[in-house]
Amino acid sequence: MIEEGSKRGKAMVEKRQLFMEMRAQNFDVIRLSTYRTACKLRFVQKRCNLHLVDVWNMIEAFRDSGLNTLDHNAEINVSRLETILSSIYYQLNKRLPTTHQINVEQSIGLLLNFMVATYDSEGHGKLTVFSMKSMLATMCGGKIVDKLRYIFSQISDSNGVMAFAKFDQFLREVLKLPTAVFEGPSFGYTEHSVRTCFPQQKKILLNTFLDILMADPPPQCLVWLPLMHRLANVENVFHPVECSYCRSESMMGFRYRCQQCHGYQLCQSCFWRGHANGPHSNQHQMKEHSSWKSPAKKLSHAISKSLGCVPIGEPPHPMFPEQSEKPQDSMAHTVQPKPVANNMNNTMLMSSGAPTPTKSVLESPSRLDEEHRLIARYAARLAAEAGNSTQCPPTDLSFNFDANKQQRQLIAELENKNREILQEIQRLRLEHEQASQPTPEKAQQNPTLLAELRLLRHRKDELERRMSALQESRRELMVQLEGLMRLLKDEEQKQAAQTGGSPHSSPSHGAGCSMPMPIRSTSAGSTPTHTPQDCLAGVGGDVLEAFAQGVPRNLRNDLLVAADSITNTMSSLVKELHSVDDAAEEEDNNMRNGGLRDRAEAE
C-alpha cells in the first residue's frame, strides 16, 4: 500500500510538472489562438522528446507491441501503454549517438501522464488503441505528408476510400490535444467538424485528403497542425533584419512584413503579442516569411522571374496513384530510396494495420502467419545484401526474429550515417550562407545601388518612350510634307491646264483644298523596336526618296530638315497664293478700267 501510494504521488508530481513548465513559458500572452496552440503542442512534443521519433519508428513500435492485431476500439491499460512507450524511447536511444542520449525514464513519465490526462480524464486507467495511435502519430516528428498518409490508412476502407465515421472518430481524438493544453474553446470538437473539412466531397481518396488537409489555409479545426510543423522548420532560421518595434537587430524563427507600411517588419515575438508602433496597426495585413533572402538574391530572383527562368512552384505533396488497396502500401516505395529501407518500410507498413494489395494481416491467424513469412523473406534479403551470401531463407520463427534484429541494427546504423550526412550538409550550407552574406560596408551601399538601379531603369523607360514619340513625330511630319508636295503639284497641273501652261493663272479652288491629317499610331508609347526607315511606312514620292535612304541618318538632322522643308513649302505656297490673288485682282482692275474707257468713248 505504501509503495502504491508513493507511485501515485510520483505520478501526480510528474503530471503537474509538464503543465507547470508549459505555463512558465508564458504562451498565453500570444494573442492568436492558432499560434498559441501550435506553440504549446510544440513545447510538449520537444519536452517529451517526441520530435526525435518519426512516424516510421511509431509504426514499427505498434507492430512490435502487437497493436496491429487489435481493433481500434480495443482498450489497453496504463501498464501496457508504459511498456510501449519504454520500447519507443529505448529504441530511440539506440539510434542516437552517445553524446545525445535522452533521459528515458523522465520522457516516459512526462508523456505517459500527458496521454492519461488527455485521453483518460475520468480515471478509468485505460485508453483505446485508436486514441494512442492518433496521438502518437500526430505528436511525433517527421513530415506531415507521411503522418497524414498513415492516418488515412487507418480511416479508409479496403478500396482506399475514406470512411467519414472513422474520420469523425479521428477528429474526436486528435482535437483532445488542443483541449489538453487549454485551447478547447478555439479548437474543440463539434458535430459539424467533419463537414467543415469536406463540405462538398462525398468520395474522399488519398490525394483529395492530402489536398484539403495540406491546403493554404487548411480546415479551421486542424489549422494548428501544419503550423506546428512550420514552427519546427523555422526554429533555427536567422533573419538579419531589425525589428521595427523592439529594435532587435536580428530575428529568429518567423518574420512578418506589413503589406501596407513600407519597410515595416516585426519579429515573431512582437507580432504574436500584438505590438505595433508608428503608423502601423494590428489590423494591417501581414505576410509571414520563413526564410531570409539577401537583396542580391531578391534582385537575381526578380531578373529570373522577368526573364521567365523561375520554375513553376511544386505542389504541396506528390500525386499518388489511386489504387484499390489502402494507400499506405504505396508509401513503401517513396519514403526511402535504398533497398534496405524499402524492405524495412514494407515491414512497418504491414505492421501498422494497412492491408497488402491482396490480403489483410489483421483478421486471422493464417494472415498473421503470412505476415511472418513476408518478414522472414525481407530479413533474408537484407541478410543477403549485408554479405551473408550463403544464408538461405529461414524457416523457423526464432531465426526470423534474429534476422529481424540484425535488420533493425543495420537500419539504425544507416540512420546514424544519414543523420551525420545531414548535419554536415547543414553545416556547409550555413558556411555558404555566411560567406555569401554582404559585409556591413556593402550592406550600407546596397540601398544606394538599388536606388541607382531604379533611377537608371526609369531613365531608360523615359528615353524609350521619347524615342518612340520622336519616331512617330517624324513619320507625321513626313506624311504632312508628302501631302503639301502633292498639293503643290496638283495646283501647278491645274494652273497649267487652265492658263495654257502659265503658272500665274488664278485657280478657282486651290485655296479650298484640304490638307491630309496624319493618324497617330497606337504604339507610340511602347518601346521602339523598329528602324528609322520603318517610320516612313505609308510615305511615298519625293519624301520617301529624300528620307528613306539606306544610309543611316541622324534623327535630329532629319527633323530639322523636315521642319525647314515644311516651312519653306508653306512660305512658297503662301507666296504662290498671294501672287495668284494679285494677278487675278490686277486682271479685274484692267477689265474694269477697260470697260470705263469704252463707256466714256461711247458717250
Side-chain angles (χ1 to χ4, degrees), residues 313-385:
E314 297 182 356
H317 66 85
M319 297 299 294
F320 302 103
E322 305 291 359
Q323 300 175 354
S324 59
E325 70 271 9
K326 283 190 177 182
Q328 187 73 22
D329 290 324
S330 64
M331 203 181 299
H333 306 285
T334 59
V335 176
Q336 296 288 348
K338 296 183 180 180
V340 174
N342 281 341
N343 296 334
M344 187 62 193
N345 287 340
N346 290 333
T347 305
M348 290 189 293
L349 289 174
M350 289 186 299
S351 66
S352 67
T356 61
T358 57
K359 293 186 178 182
S360 173
V361 296
L362 298 179
E363 298 178 359
S364 64
S366 61
R367 293 180 179 177
L368 289 176
D369 294 338
E370 182 181 357
E371 177 189 2
H372 290 304
R373 285 195 298 271
L374 289 173
I375 294 174
R377 187 183 307 168
Y378 293 137
R381 188 180 302 172
L382 287 173
E385 292 174 356

Side-chain angles (χ1 to χ4, degrees), residues 491 495 503-508 573-587:
E491 291 298 330
Q495 291 173 7
H504 299 288
S505 60
S506 174
S508 60
L573 179 60
V574 171
K575 290 179 180 180
E576 186 69 24
L577 293 176
H578 282 308
S579 63
V580 171
D581 293 338
D582 293 341
E585 185 178 358
E586 183 179 357
E587 185 176 355

Side-chain angles (χ1 to χ4, degrees), residues 289-302:
H289 294 272
S290 57
S291 62
W292 161 255
K293 290 183 180 179
S294 63
K297 289 184 179 179
K298 291 181 180 178
L299 181 60
S300 64
H301 179 77

Side-chain angles (χ1 to χ4, degrees), residues 231 234-241 243 248-256 266-270 272 289-290 430:
L231 282 173
V234 303
E235 283 183 347
N236 298 320
V237 174
F238 174 76
H239 304 268
V241 183
C243 177
S248 174
E249 296 181 357
S250 60
M251 302 182 189
M252 294 293 294
F254 287 121
R255 173 171 55 92
Y256 298 89
L266 292 175
C267 62
Q268 68 176 23
S269 178
C270 292
W272 289 354
H289 294 272
S290 57
L430 291 175

Side-chain angles (χ1 to χ4, degrees), residues 11 14-16 18-19 22 37 40-41 44-45 48 50 78 81 85 109-128 130-136 138-139 169-184 187-189 224:
E14 292 176 346
K15 180 179 179 180
R16 296 193 188 98
L18 183 63
F19 292 102
M22 184 176 64
T37 304
K40 290 181 179 180
L41 292 177
V44 174
Q45 182 190 50
C48 297
L50 280 175
V78 177
L81 175 60
L85 298 182
L110 291 175
L111 181 57
L112 179 65
N113 285 282
F114 179 75
M115 294 182 67
V116 171
T118 303
Y119 294 101
D120 187 30
S121 58
E122 297 180 359
H124 297 301
K126 293 182 179 181
L127 280 75
T128 63
F130 191 67
S131 298
M132 191 191 68
K133 284 185 176 182
S134 300
M135 186 272 175
L136 293 178
T138 303
M139 292 296 292
Q169 185 181 3
F170 167 73
L171 286 183
R172 289 177 184 269
E173 302 300 336
V174 78
L175 291 180
K176 290 179 181 179
L177 293 173
T179 304
V181 293
F182 315 107
E183 296 296 334
F187 300 104
Y189 172 81
W224 50 270

Side-chain angles (χ1 to χ4, degrees), residues 298-300 302-303 306 449-465 527:
K298 291 181 180 178
L299 181 60
S300 64
I303 295 175
S306 63
L449 293 176
L450 293 177
E452 292 179 356
L453 285 175
R454 286 193 293 267
L455 182 61
L456 289 175
R457 189 180 294 110
H458 182 67
R459 181 61 176 169
K460 177 186 175 185
D461 295 338
E462 288 183 352
L463 291 176
E464 289 178 348
R465 289 193 296 269
T527 302

Side-chain angles (χ1 to χ4, degrees), residues 440-514:
E441 292 80 7
K442 294 182 180 180
Q444 294 177 359
Q445 296 175 1
N446 279 335
T448 305
L449 293 176
L450 293 177
E452 292 179 356
L453 285 175
R454 286 193 293 267
L455 182 61
L456 289 175
R457 189 180 294 110
H458 182 67
R459 181 61 176 169
K460 177 186 175 185
D461 295 338
E462 288 183 352
L463 291 176
E464 289 178 348
R465 289 193 296 269
R466 185 177 179 185
M467 183 69 179
S468 178
L470 290 176
Q471 295 284 10
E472 186 63 28
S473 299
R474 182 188 180 198
R475 181 180 180 280
E476 293 174 0
L477 291 174
M478 296 303 103
V479 172
Q480 293 178 3
L481 183 58
E482 178 70 16
L484 291 174
M485 295 179 69
R486 190 183 301 110
L487 180 62
L488 288 176
K489 288 183 178 181
D490 293 342
E491 291 298 330
E492 290 177 357
Q493 293 176 359
K494 290 179 181 179
Q495 291 173 7
Q498 292 177 1
T499 61
S502 175
H504 299 288
S505 60
S506 174
S508 60
H509 56 278
C513 293
S514 60

